[in-house]
């Protein structure tokens, strides 16, 4: 603790300094002054934790000095000294918030006990302030993460809403370039469950420290998203190397392996979701690149450049057959697709099969499929396909894959295709008070987040984010009308953690603040 001594008698100052050095090792005397005005200037400059000051001094006495410092918003704690046992001085000191008052001559133990009480009070006060700051930072981080998660799932045609979310979250975008990465941890998550993602995020911060701002958060299940915003151009090769180093460092420390998909660099914030979708798409190609790989988006683009592409209408029919779990129809479509294939090298045929499979299950949650050992480890891998080197054997392999997917859906009681948006609306109307992101819904309803986002907009004319907000604010209106709950309590009950964000959103959707809405309700 830093201490300044103020007294017009040098012998007193020297004596106090010796006592502190001998009996109070937690403290360091960083300066002395011999009158109130000199003390005021020194304290303003050095900002000590504790000031021990005489009351009667020339130019400005101790109480005048304290009063000036309080007016200057000084947070120092004061101990008053006086050679006069005059309660009036103590009373004036207490009016200024001074709790500690000692008479001269000061005894060593008395001074030590008094200073130790001040130290204990300072530590307690700072601990409480730190708790408040930590809570405030946690709330701010959650708001930013929630906004970014919504932005990543919105798509590229919601520029206005993206800008609103960024403004609410206080995320600067002017003159920034953006790039996203998606980290997926393997199925052995014992270390992650025990330690959480904090060790991973420390390595993320360290690896990308050269960039302006890095946001990282759990996206869903075993996935974490990383969003980089940088004021200058982002050199893609260096970024990929940084990801590789981060991945290796995480494994060395936590024995946690991951596969990483990296999107391309975007120069408009409205294209942020495009970079993320590219990262997600790149990650799905781990069945070709292998688990524990770093997969930049541009590296997988060549996989889609086949000489004999399958017509989109056949892929759409295959999707429909899988949705409806119609095994006969799916097998027939596979046969039709292979009848249209021309001769090609075994590797081209193998990659073509994987491409067909990826396209046909693009609506699904790939993580769900991987839960099945046969699908995740033996079939959905280039290593598994390499055994099949003829068109006929690959055709039978594709039939087996589709049959396994349908069997997996039946085993997990995944319903046939119906109005999934209606189901999602019903689910949201019941669980609106929970943190249900688009990714969470996608995993629950066995569908890919990107496809769900597009389907929701197509079916309802609005984004899922807007629908959830409308649902929550509608419930908030009901609670304002029918209960005496305070606004912050209603905020929490409808799924928001930040009262100010809730109030702004409420005003945007209703035209008035929550408190004003309640005041203007018609009286019975």
């Amino acid at each position: 603790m830093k201490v300044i001594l103020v007294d017009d008698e040098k012998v007193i100052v020297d004596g106090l300094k010796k006592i502190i050095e001998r009996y109070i090792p937690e403290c360091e005397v960083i300066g002395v002054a011999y009158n109130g005005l000199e003390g005021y200037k020194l304290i303003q400059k050095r900002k000590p934790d504790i000031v021990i000051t005489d009351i009667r001094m020339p130019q400005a006495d101790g109480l005048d000095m304290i009063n000036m410092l309080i007016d200057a918003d000084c947070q120092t704690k004061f101990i008053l000294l006086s050679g006069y046992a005059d309660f009036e001085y103590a009373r004036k000191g207490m009016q200024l918030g001074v709790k500690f008052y000692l008479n001269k001559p000061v005894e060593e133990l008395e001074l030590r006990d008094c200073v130790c009480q001040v130290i204990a009070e300072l530590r307690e006060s700072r601990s409480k302030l730190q708790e408040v700051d930590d809570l405030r930072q946690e709330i701010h981080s959650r708001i930013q993460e929630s906004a970014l998660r919504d932005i990543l799932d919105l798509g590229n045609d919601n520029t206005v809403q993206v800008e609103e979310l960024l403004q609410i979250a206080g995320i600067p975008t002017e003159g920034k370039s953006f790039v996203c990465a998606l980290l997926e941890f393997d199925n052995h998550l014992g270390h992650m469950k025990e330690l959480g993602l904090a060790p991973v995020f420390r390595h993320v911060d360290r690896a990308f420290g050269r960039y302006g701002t890095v946001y990282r958060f759990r996206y869903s299940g075993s996935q974490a998203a990383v969003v980089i915003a940088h004021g200058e151009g982002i050199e893609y090769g260096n970024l990929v190397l940084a990801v590789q180093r981060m991945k290796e460092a995480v494994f060395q420390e936590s024995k946690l392996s991951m596969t990483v998909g990296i999107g391309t660099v975007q120069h408009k914030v409205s294209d942020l979701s495009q970079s993320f979708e590219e990262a997600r798409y790149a990650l799905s190609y781990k069945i070709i690149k292998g688990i524990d790989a770093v997969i930049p988006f541009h590296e997988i683009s060549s996989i889609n450049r086949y000489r004999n592409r399958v017509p989109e209408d056949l892929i759409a029919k295959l999707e429909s057959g899988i949705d409806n779990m119609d095994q006969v129809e799916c097998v027939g479509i596979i046969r039709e697709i292979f009848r249209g294939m021309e001769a090609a090298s075994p590797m081209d045929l193998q990659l073509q099969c994987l491409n067909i499979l990826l396209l046909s299950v693009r609506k699904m949650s790939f993580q769900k499929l991987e839960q099945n050992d046969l699908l995740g480890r033996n079939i959905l891998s280039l290593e598994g396909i390499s055994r099949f080197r003829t068109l006929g054997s690959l055709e039978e392999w594709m039939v087996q894959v589709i049959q396994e997917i349908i069997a997996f859906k039946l085993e997990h009681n995944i319903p046939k295709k119906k109005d999934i948006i209606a189901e999602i609306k019903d689910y949201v109307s019941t669980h609106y008070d929970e943190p249900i992101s688009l990714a969470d819904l996608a995993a629950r309803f066995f569908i890919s987040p990107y496809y769900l986002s597009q389907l929701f907009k197509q079916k309802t004319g609005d984004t899922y984010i807007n629908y959830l907000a409308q649902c929550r604010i509608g419930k908030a209106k009901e609670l304002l009308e029918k209960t005496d709950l305070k606004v912050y309590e209603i905020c929490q009950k409808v799924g928001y953690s930040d009262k100010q964000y809730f109030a702004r959103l409420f005003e945007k959707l209703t035209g008035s603040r929550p408190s004003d809405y309640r005041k203007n309700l018609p009286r019975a």
Side-chain angles (χ1 to χ4, degrees):
M1 293 285 178
K2 297 182 294 184
V3 179
I4 282 180
L5 308 175
V6 186
D7 196 298
D8 60 338
E9 296 183 58
K10 187 176 185 302
V11 64
I12 299 293
V13 170
D14 293 341
L16 290 171
K17 190 173 181 181
K18 288 180 180 179
I19 293 173
I20 290 171
E21 290 173 348
R22 182 178 300 174
Y23 295 104
I24 316 175
E26 302 99 320
C27 294
E28 175 192 4
V29 177
I30 61 169
V32 299
Y34 299 100
N35 62 66
L37 187 59
E38 183 183 335
Y40 169 79
K41 294 177 180 177
L42 181 63
I43 293 164
Q44 281 283 80
K45 180 180 179 182
R46 300 299 304 275
K47 301 189 183 307
D49 302 297
I50 302 170
V51 169
I52 302 175
T53 178
D54 191 14
I55 293 180
R56 295 213 172 196
M57 293 182 295
Q59 297 190 35
D61 66 26
L63 295 178
D64 290 336
M65 180 189 72
I66 293 172
N67 196 37
M68 288 189 295
L69 288 166
I70 291 173
D71 288 343
D73 198 29
C74 176
Q75 301 300 311
T76 297
K77 295 290 184 182
F78 297 95
I79 298 175
L80 286 176
L81 301 176
S82 176
Y84 305 89
D86 189 343
F87 177 74
E88 184 62 21
Y89 287 117
R91 186 180 68 81
K92 289 181 180 178
M94 286 186 287
Q95 289 175 346
L96 293 173
V98 180
K99 297 181 180 179
F100 301 97
Y101 184 93
L102 296 173
N103 287 320
K104 296 178 180 178
V106 177
E107 297 290 335
E108 291 94 335
L109 293 180
E110 186 180 14
L111 177 63
R112 186 184 67 183
D113 290 345
C114 185
V115 171
C116 287
Q117 288 181 57
V118 176
I119 291 173
E121 185 175 290
L122 276 168
R123 286 174 175 165
E124 182 181 2
S125 175
R126 288 173 182 177
S127 176
K128 290 179 179 178
L129 286 174
Q130 186 62 50
E131 288 178 8
V132 171
D133 287 342
D134 290 345
L135 180 59
R136 185 183 294 113
Q137 182 59 43
E138 182 180 352
I139 291 173
H140 182 62
S141 295
R142 287 183 179 179
I143 292 172
Q144 288 189 329
E145 290 174 11
S146 178
L148 283 169
R149 188 178 285 108
D150 291 345
I151 289 167
L152 297 181
D153 292 329
L154 273 173
N156 295 342
D157 57 345
N158 296 278
T159 304
V160 174
Q161 192 172 2
V162 166
E163 290 176 352
E164 288 178 354
L165 286 167
L166 289 167
Q167 185 177 5
I168 288 170
I171 298 174
T173 61
E174 188 68 29
K176 302 282 187 181
S177 296
F178 303 90
V179 65
C180 298
L182 187 59
L183 286 52
E184 184 171 282
F185 306 95
D186 67 15
N187 292 327
H188 306 289
L189 298 178
H191 290 290
M192 195 172 81
K193 289 178 180 178
E194 180 181 348
L195 302 174
L197 283 173
V200 176
F201 289 158
R202 282 198 298 272
H203 285 291
V204 169
D205 293 340
R206 193 174 301 131
F208 304 126
R210 72 177 72 179
Y211 300 109
T213 310
V214 179
Y215 306 95
R216 68 285 189 283
F217 50 91
R218 186 189 292 274
Y219 180 65
S220 69
S222 59
Q223 294 183 336
V226 177
V227 178
I228 296 173
H230 191 53
E232 302 174 4
I234 299 175
E235 208 287 311
Y236 202 68
N238 290 337
L239 175 67
V240 174
L241 287 175
V243 172
Q244 186 68 46
R245 286 194 293 268
M246 177 272 297
K247 184 179 74 68
E248 292 170 357
V250 170
F251 183 77
Q252 287 179 4
E253 179 182 301
S254 306
K255 297 298 181 280
L256 186 62
S257 62
M258 69 176 81
T259 310
V260 185
I262 310 174
T264 59
V265 177
Q266 301 295 328
H267 302 290
K268 295 189 298 183
V269 70
S270 57
D271 293 331
L272 185 58
S273 61
Q274 178 179 331
S275 181
F276 184 71
E277 186 53 34
E278 291 170 348
R280 182 155 48 196
Y281 186 65
L283 185 62
S284 73
Y285 273 76
K286 69 180 182 180
I287 62 175
I288 295 175
K289 296 290 186 177
I291 292 175
D292 198 34
V294 173
I295 312 171
F297 178 75
H298 69 82
E299 285 189 9
I300 65 168
S301 59
S302 60
I303 296 174
N304 291 317
R305 299 193 188 107
Y306 299 110
R307 290 170 292 177
N308 304 303
R309 295 190 62 83
V310 178
E312 183 65 28
D313 63 321
L314 286 180
I315 294 295
K317 287 181 181 180
L318 188 57
E319 281 183 328
S320 178
I322 293 173
D323 284 339
N324 293 305
M325 288 177 278
D326 188 335
Q327 188 173 134
V328 174
E329 181 184 6
C330 288
V331 171
I333 294 167
I334 292 297
R335 305 293 188 204
E336 184 178 353
I337 288 173
F338 272 79
R339 281 197 300 271
M341 283 189 182
E342 297 178 2
S345 69
M347 179 57 74
D348 281 348
L349 285 172
Q350 292 162 9
L351 292 177
Q352 178 76 307
C353 286
L354 279 174
N355 193 49
I356 294 168
L357 185 58
L358 284 173
L359 290 172
S360 62
V361 297
R362 58 190 166 186
K363 297 179 182 178
M364 299 183 186
S365 168
F366 217 80
Q367 287 175 273
K368 290 282 187 181
L369 290 175
E370 290 175 320
Q371 292 174 9
N372 180 285
D373 281 345
L374 181 60
L375 289 171
R377 297 185 182 180
N378 300 325
I379 292 180
L380 299 185
S381 70
L382 194 56
E383 181 181 355
I385 309 173
S386 63
R387 296 170 295 160
F388 311 109
R389 303 183 63 82
T390 67
L391 195 62
S393 61
L394 280 168
E395 181 176 343
E396 295 308 316
W397 174 82
M398 282 292 294
V399 168
Q400 183 187 7
V401 171
I402 298 302
Q403 289 173 337
E404 281 293 329
I405 290 173
I406 292 174
F408 182 77
K409 293 182 73 173
L410 289 169
E411 178 188 348
H412 288 76
N413 298 316
I414 299 165
K416 291 185 178 182
K417 184 179 180 181
K418 51 184 178 181
D419 192 352
I420 193 171
I421 299 304
E423 290 185 30
I424 287 173
K425 285 184 173 181
D426 288 342
Y427 182 83
V428 171
S429 67
T430 306
H431 299 83
Y432 61 87
D433 57 333
E434 301 173 10
I436 41 177
S437 68
L438 190 69
D440 296 329
L441 281 178
R444 176 172 292 276
F445 287 91
F446 197 76
I447 190 171
S448 81
Y450 180 73
Y451 180 73
L452 174 56
S453 174
Q454 301 301 307
L455 183 62
F456 199 97
K457 182 72 178 289
Q458 177 187 337
K459 295 287 187 181
T460 67
D462 203 355
T463 65
Y464 163 70
I465 307 304
N466 282 342
Y467 175 79
L468 177 61
Q470 292 280 2
C471 184
R472 286 173 166 174
I473 297 304
K475 186 63 180 179
K477 289 168 62 177
E478 182 181 331
L479 292 172
L480 286 167
E481 294 166 3
K482 298 181 179 180
T483 72
D484 294 326
L485 291 170
K486 293 180 170 52
V487 172
Y488 76 87
E489 294 175 312
I490 292 175
C491 166
Q492 294 172 351
K493 280 187 172 292
V494 299
Y496 293 110
S497 58
D498 182 66
K499 180 182 173 182
Q500 292 183 338
Y501 173 67
F502 165 71
R504 287 197 297 268
L505 185 61
F506 190 97
E507 184 174 16
K508 176 186 175 183
L509 296 180
T510 67
S512 64
R513 307 280 288 184
S515 55
D516 295 333
Y517 180 87
R518 176 175 270 169
K519 289 177 184 177
N520 294 329
L521 289 172
R523 300 186 179 278

